[in-house]
Amino acid sequence: MALFLPMIYKETVQQGYDIPAFWYNGKCVKTNTDLRTPTRGPGEPGGAYIIETILERIAHQLGADPNAIRDLNLLPANAEELKIQSTGGHPITNFTIPKMWEEAKQRADLDKRAAAVKEFNANNRWRKRGVAISPVKYHVQVSRKAAMVNLYADGSVVIHHTCNEMGQGLNTKAIQAASHFLCKEVNVKDGIDLKHFRIADSDGYVLPNGFFTGGSTSSEGTVLAIQRACGILAERLGAVSKTWKDNQAEQNKDKSDFKPEQPTWTQLTAFATDKMDCSATYCTLSDRSEDPIPYHNYGAAVNEVEIDVLTGEVELLHTEIVYDCGKSLNPNIDIGQAEGAFMMGVGHMFHEEADIYDEKTGELHSIGTWEYKPPLAREVPQQLNIKLIPNDGFTKGVGGSKSVGEPPLVLAIGAAMAVRQAVTSARSDMGMKEFAEMAAPMLPSVIANAAGTKIENLTLA
């Protein structure tokens, strides 16, 4: 991970912004802190936090609205036509952030909301609000995924793959993909009932050398491998189906009115067991140019927050997310993934501080929920709206789909920027003119201190 993160920072520090003069030098250094174990989007929130803080600092220096500075520095809609590359050196294609940026502003009524925030802050000393819009540009690439699809005489279709279902809906998409592809490519009477499909447990003896489940593309990569394996079976079944119909015609040749019909699925699989290999395997490889990954994921979000200046408590009032999922493999799953990713980002930005040690022994104290605070139900925005935009222009992905597991996490950075704006209003009331330097996670103590809260402010008169 130490070698991976500098590369990720180089790509993600850009997000959706135009940075024509960019130089980056990432170095690995030894520290006296414990090793981290990232679980979602490693390096991405940090890279986004850097560029968003830079833009906020520019706005502060100019006395300008940070959201207006973001507007001015957004990459152009014709980035692909201009052959603009990301700071990581990847072509920016099918760039949909400007479209979603405007839609997010319109859905959140950003101008009206910003005016209401300004009025609220003018009328309240110890409660402050902030609102910010932010983008996500998240690069993904293929990693090795394998699938085996086996057919049985009773019509069962058993799917093996090399990834792990962990609640992200991978197995649901896998069954969807197999059933859809076989129904489309194999002509059988009355189609194929979903009850015939099931997922087998992952087993390295069946499919060896499986790669990790991660990088947001495990569902897509697995679906791709399943589709290709089903394609092999469909080709074999086509020949077997012809043989079945020929046999039926031969057996009924004395019937002048006989018209051969397509076999049912169970008839075809029972007939096929001794006439073809009923198992097919496919593995996606990183050097296969025809595999439809890598690409960039895009999204935009408006976040409105309210802070308690005295305690540093944060409340998310409204979050409006617009996300480009291409032609989603399963919108219900993908919206749930976007919700979960965003909330993990909220935890990353506001709660999850791990560095609580015993100064003498080095023992980590934050090993339970008394000291370590993951986001809970109260941290969910009062109103959280997510829209997946239609994007028929995306020609990569699997069936035109795009990944969703990790990218929306980065949109929680916008909530942190909204908190900084609320803090800035509190600092202004205190007569503090310097830029609000705030480290993440923005714990209540960090927010209260940055807002300039003093002991005397906590004393009842």
Side-chain angles (χ1 to χ4, degrees):
M1 192 59 69
L3 296 175
F4 177 72
L5 289 179
M7 176 184 70
I8 292 298
Y9 269 89
K10 182 177 181 181
E11 172 68 33
T12 61
V13 73
Q14 179 183 33
Q15 288 306 309
Y17 301 112
D18 190 6
I19 310 177
F22 178 80
W23 182 86
Y24 173 90
N25 185 21
K27 294 181 179 180
C28 297
V29 297
K30 290 185 178 181
T31 72
N32 63 344
T33 58
D34 66 316
L35 295 175
R36 300 299 198 270
T37 304
T39 59
R40 205 170 194 172
E44 304 283 346
Y49 194 86
I50 290 171
I51 186 61
E52 294 294 350
T53 300
I54 289 172
L55 292 171
E56 293 254 324
R57 182 179 282 276
I58 291 170
H60 183 268
Q61 192 72 20
L62 297 176
D65 176 9
N67 292 324
I69 297 298
R70 293 184 175 96
D71 271 333
L72 290 172
N73 287 277
L74 205 65
L75 278 163
N78 62 340
E80 180 175 3
E81 181 184 332
L82 297 174
K83 297 183 178 180
I84 296 176
Q85 289 193 331
S86 70
T87 48
H90 302 288
I92 295 176
T93 59
N94 192 234
F95 186 59
T96 54
I97 285 181
K99 173 184 175 182
M100 290 185 288
W101 189 265
E102 293 304 319
E103 183 161 354
K105 288 200 293 186
Q106 185 247 334
R107 288 172 63 87
D109 202 350
L110 180 57
D111 290 341
K112 183 178 179 180
R113 193 173 295 275
V117 164
K118 187 175 182 180
E119 181 179 358
F120 179 90
N121 289 343
N123 294 325
N124 291 273
R125 176 65 185 87
W126 304 113
R127 304 285 295 186
K128 295 293 183 179
R129 291 181 180 179
V131 61
I133 184 169
S134 63
V136 59
K137 177 177 65 63
Y138 195 112
H139 186 259
V140 296
Q141 56 190 12
V142 69
S143 58
R144 184 177 65 253
K145 301 290 179 285
M148 174 189 289
V149 182
N150 296 330
L151 306 181
Y152 293 85
D154 66 350
S156 296
V157 182
V158 178
I159 302 166
H160 298 261
H161 61 73
T162 52
C163 289
N164 295 313
E165 169 65 62
M166 57 183 83
Q168 81 276 45
L170 186 153
N171 284 345
T172 300
K173 289 183 177 180
I175 288 176
Q176 277 186 294
S179 62
H180 174 78
F181 193 84
L182 287 175
C183 283
K184 178 182 176 182
E185 298 298 325
V186 181
N187 190 3
V188 291
K189 184 179 179 181
D190 299 327
I192 311 172
D193 198 303
L194 270 176
K195 69 181 182 182
H196 292 298
F197 294 82
R198 72 179 180 87
I199 303 292
D201 292 338
S202 298
D203 190 334
Y205 288 114
V206 177
L207 290 170
N209 307 316
F211 210 58
F212 68 86
T213 302
S216 292
T217 57
S218 292
S219 294
E220 277 192 290
T222 299
V223 165
L224 175 62
I226 289 170
Q227 284 186 343
R228 299 277 170 87
C230 287
I232 296 169
L233 291 173
E235 187 175 349
R236 296 173 188 167
L237 286 169
V240 171
S241 179
K242 183 178 184 306
T243 302
W244 189 89
K245 288 191 289 184
D246 289 345
N247 285 359
Q248 293 295 304
E250 179 63 25
Q251 293 170 12
N252 295 276
K253 62 183 179 181
D254 296 332
K255 299 177 182 179
S256 60
D257 60 343
F258 176 76
K259 294 181 180 180
E261 293 184 342
Q262 295 293 340
T264 64
W265 175 247
T266 52
Q267 286 175 329
L268 181 58
T269 53
F271 185 72
T273 52
D274 63 349
K275 294 177 176 60
M276 60 173 266
D277 180 358
C278 290
S279 179
T281 303
Y282 188 89
C283 180
T284 64
L285 299 173
S286 57
D287 60 351
R288 277 204 176 108
S289 60
E290 73 271 17
D291 287 344
I293 306 170
Y295 56 80
H296 283 100
N297 296 278
Y298 306 118
V302 172
N303 284 284
E304 182 182 5
V305 305
E306 183 175 314
I307 67 168
D308 185 314
V309 176
L310 298 177
T311 66
E313 179 187 16
V314 177
E315 190 166 1
L316 274 69
L317 302 179
H318 188 107
T319 296
E320 197 75 44
I321 295 175
V322 184
Y323 188 74
D324 179 0
C325 218
K327 292 186 278 291
S328 171
L329 294 174
N330 186 313
N332 286 338
I333 289 175
D334 290 341
I335 287 176
Q337 282 289 285
E339 290 172 338
F342 176 79
M343 286 311 301
M344 283 190 77
V346 169
H348 186 78
M349 282 292 102
F350 298 115
H351 298 276
E352 299 183 30
E353 184 181 42
D355 297 333
I356 304 177
Y357 298 95
D358 186 294
E359 292 184 2
K360 293 182 179 179
T361 66
E363 179 186 0
L364 181 66
H365 287 321
S366 53
I367 56 176
T369 54
W370 189 256
E371 297 88 4
Y372 176 86
K373 304 295 183 183
L376 300 175
R378 193 185 182 285
E379 277 69 60
V380 177
Q382 291 182 11
Q383 185 169 353
L384 172 58
N385 300 326
I386 298 177
K387 178 182 178 182
L388 305 181
I389 66 164
N391 183 4
D392 293 332
F394 182 65
T395 57
K396 300 188 80 174
V398 178
S401 69
K402 302 184 80 169
S403 59
V404 69
E406 294 169 307
L409 182 150
V410 179
L411 294 172
I413 306 300
M417 298 304 108
V419 166
R420 179 183 272 123
Q421 292 179 24
V423 165
T424 298
S425 176
R427 289 167 67 88
S428 178
D429 290 349
M430 289 279 193
M432 302 168 67
K433 298 181 180 179
E434 301 84 0
F435 180 71
E437 297 282 3
M438 301 178 69
M442 292 182 176
L443 304 176
S445 58
V446 172
I447 294 170
N449 287 333
T453 304
K454 298 179 176 62
I455 292 295
E456 50 266 33
N457 298 139
L458 305 177
T459 303
L460 293 176

